Amino acid sequence: MRSEVTRLCLVALALLAGCATQTGVISTGQDAYMILKQGDGFWVSPSTLTAAVTDEASHHCARLGKVIKINDIREQKTGMRPGAYPEAEIHFTCV
């Protein structure tokens, strides 16, 4: 019984981990970048997506030996139309 519960928890975590699409870091100019992440359902919190893109942006700049300067962050909550899932978008520079 316990192993079944563990297995179900692992499957649920794997499904939740795959519940977002992301552009990755996109260059928008010299030392300027953006990242967009979209949840795959209404249950995904925009603030969770914002935290994820901010963390990835910070790590990207750290890999370059620089620090992040956030220029803009946008969140979009779910909409009533089909396919309108929550999103977070960050525009940043590495300085």
Side-chain angles (χ1 to χ4, degrees), residues 41-70:
F42 66 89
W43 58 85
V44 180
S45 166
S47 60
T48 301
L49 298 172
T50 298
V53 295
T54 303
D55 188 52
E56 182 174 349
S58 180
H59 281 97
H60 177 75
C61 290
R63 284 191 297 274
L64 298 174
K66 299 180 179 187
V67 295
I68 185 174
K69 177 182 173 220
I70 298 172

Side-chain angles (χ1 to χ4, degrees), residues 35 46-47 49-51 53-55 57 68-76 87-92:
I35 301 171
S47 60
L49 298 172
T50 298
V53 295
T54 303
D55 188 52
I68 185 174
K69 177 182 173 220
I70 298 172
N71 299 322
D72 189 28
I73 294 180
R74 297 180 195 151
E75 285 183 358
Q76 180 174 322
E87 293 179 350
E89 181 177 336
I90 185 170
H91 292 259
F92 63 100

Side-chain angles (χ1 to χ4, degrees), residues 16-39:
L16 288 174
C19 289
T21 56
Q22 183 167 328
T23 60
V25 179
I26 297 173
S27 177
T28 59
Q30 186 174 348
D31 294 324
Y33 308 92
M34 66 89 60
I35 301 171
L36 172 68
K37 188 168 192 149
Q38 180 184 52

